[in-house]
Amino acid sequence: MTDDQQAAEILGELAAAMADAPPSTEGYWTSEELHELYERFERQPDIPLTDGHRRLFIAHRARRAASSRIYRLLCSLKNAAERGQVTATAETAVLAEACVRAGLAAHDAISVLYQLGVPYGEQALARLVPDTRVNDSDRRWGRWWLRRLREPKYQAMAGRPVEDEELLLPEVVRDVTVGWHGGWEIEEEPKQERFAQARAVLEALLPSMRLPFPEPVPEWEGDWDEDEDERPDWLEIRMVLRDLMPDIRLVTRERMTEGWYECKQLGLDVQGEEPEEFSNRWAARIGAWTAEGILSWLWQEDHFSPWALDLAMRYIDRNVAVAEATRLLSEAAQGNA
């Protein structure tokens, strides 16, 4: 049997399995006790049940069996795709996308779409991730792999010269060669030029007025894998923007606008903002992360000069990088105690 024949056979079986799959029972599971009763039913099929519970459990068992069959077919398809034995076709992508929408072995179907790559796999994932009818967990998983497929695009943007683009952060940050958090490695005797640069950047990034909400947002403390249902969208927006603009010297309006479009396509919540509002808010946030990193570097270097303490108090007053500014003041107080 040729590779094409084998692929056609798997696709035919997958289409048949999808057609035979019973409807989802997801909306009928109303309590944890019902799940526990089902587990008892699996071990003891003859336990007393209401007619409604028995019909639900039999339907759920049939659904699980169909999902297992589709899972095995998807694994075969994925393995064949990894070996180059399956040509990326629209038909393959459509079937895998249908599995995701039906909630049947969805994560494995998403892996197949990633293996199919550009254009068919990418196009299917781009249709899935913003669709609120798709399970949230499946959308997150699809978004993760779609981002992987788009990494070359992100890298190309990150390597593009700034030229005449509009900088969203002060000119002084052009000389900051580190990432968004803006700190430097701890040294035994840092040069005074570095402290002068830190002061200049902090003064430039300080907002003229107190922000209505603290920036940056508090770091998310959940587990990336175990607590994915609680993961805020801003966390993934930050990942996208960091890929597009890994250096704060690259934070321009043009790139931020492209980031806004990308986040929208990935189904991330941009809070109903248009590109300009989004750009301004995220530029302020990136500036706050940068200031936070520099304030952290100052207290770690035991640098408590009057200008550093004055800036820390002003940052607290403006509602920016409050945690690190407070830490700087606290460390200074302890050092003078």
Side-chain angles (χ1 to χ4, degrees):
M1 183 183 296
T2 66
D3 291 345
D4 288 342
Q5 289 173 328
Q6 183 182 11
E9 183 175 322
I10 295 173
L11 289 174
E13 290 185 37
L14 182 57
M18 286 290 295
D20 293 341
S24 172
T25 63
E26 184 176 348
Y28 297 93
W29 298 89
T30 56
S31 66
E32 187 63 34
E33 290 77 11
L34 195 56
H35 283 279
E36 293 174 359
L37 185 59
Y38 174 77
E39 294 299 327
R40 285 184 57 202
F41 168 74
E42 285 286 270
R43 297 190 299 270
Q44 301 171 282
D46 296 330
I47 61 172
L49 294 171
T50 66
D51 290 342
H53 284 165
R54 189 168 295 277
R55 284 194 299 270
L56 172 61
F57 293 168
I58 291 173
H60 186 63
R61 178 190 284 171
R63 174 83 174 177
R64 289 181 62 178
S67 185
S68 295
R69 178 186 176 193
I70 290 169
Y71 164 76
R72 290 191 294 272
L73 290 168
L74 285 169
C75 285
S76 297
L77 193 61
K78 179 184 175 184
N79 292 336
E82 288 174 344
R83 296 193 298 268
Q85 296 173 333
V86 173
T87 304
T89 65
E91 179 190 7
T92 308
V94 166
L95 277 173
E97 181 180 348
C99 291
V100 179
R101 293 189 180 280
L104 292 162
H107 280 208
D108 302 282
I110 288 168
S111 296
V112 169
L113 291 172
Y114 172 72
Q115 288 298 327
L116 294 178
V118 179
Y120 300 116
E122 181 185 27
Q123 290 170 355
L125 288 171
R127 288 190 293 269
L128 288 167
V129 296
D131 191 341
T132 54
R133 294 169 297 180
V134 176
N135 178 278
D136 286 347
S137 176
D138 298 336
R139 290 174 64 205
R140 289 189 189 92
W141 187 241
R143 186 181 299 132
W144 174 264
W145 290 108
L146 181 56
R147 286 182 61 252
R148 292 282 301 275
L149 286 176
R150 292 190 176 179
E151 279 179 355
K153 171 186 173 181
Y154 298 165
Q155 291 167 357
M157 183 184 294
R160 191 177 74 200
V162 172
E163 296 180 344
D164 297 327
E165 295 178 20
E166 179 189 349
L167 287 172
L168 290 176
L169 293 175
E171 184 85 12
V172 70
V173 304
R174 282 182 181 271
D175 298 326
V176 179
T177 57
V178 294
W180 289 8
H181 277 79
W184 291 281
E185 292 184 6
I186 303 302
E187 303 174 357
E188 288 188 7
E189 295 183 9
K191 296 179 179 179
Q192 288 304 310
E193 289 84 351
R194 180 155 289 187
F195 290 118
Q197 184 185 28
R199 179 179 183 177
V201 172
L202 285 174
E203 289 176 342
L205 289 174
L206 185 69
S208 59
M209 300 176 61
R210 180 178 174 83
L211 300 185
F213 302 101
E215 288 290 353
V217 292
E219 283 297 322
W220 185 62
E221 297 181 355
D223 183 277
W224 191 266
D225 297 317
E226 294 182 5
D227 302 326
E228 66 171 357
D229 290 341
E230 301 173 10
R231 194 164 66 217
D233 275 14
W234 71 259
L235 201 63
E236 295 192 56
I237 293 174
R238 180 171 70 179
M239 291 175 63
V240 172
L241 295 181
R242 271 186 173 172
D243 283 346
L244 297 174
M245 300 172 281
D247 192 308
I248 59 174
R249 292 177 295 178
L250 302 176
V251 179
T252 68
R253 188 166 300 281
E254 291 79 3
R255 295 168 199 240
M256 193 70 80
T257 298
E258 292 186 53
W260 177 86
Y261 281 111
E262 185 66 17
C263 291
K264 289 274 285 186
Q265 291 176 349
L266 289 170
L268 293 166
D269 181 12
V270 296
Q271 300 186 13
E273 294 174 329
E274 291 303 308
E276 184 174 358
E277 297 171 291
F278 175 86
S279 299
N280 292 339
R281 179 165 63 89
W282 274 91
R285 182 163 292 173
I286 293 167
W289 272 315
T290 304
E292 187 177 63
I294 294 175
L295 290 165
S296 174
W297 177 76
L298 287 172
W299 69 255
Q300 290 183 76
E301 289 286 5
D302 295 328
H303 190 81
F304 308 121
S305 62
W307 67 260
L309 301 182
D310 175 65
L311 277 168
M313 289 186 286
R314 290 164 68 192
Y315 267 89
I316 293 170
D317 180 66
R318 305 294 162 83
N319 217 9
V320 178
V322 172
E324 290 302 328
T326 302
R327 179 70 183 265
L328 177 61
L329 295 175
S330 175
E331 292 291 333
Q334 291 180 27
N336 293 328

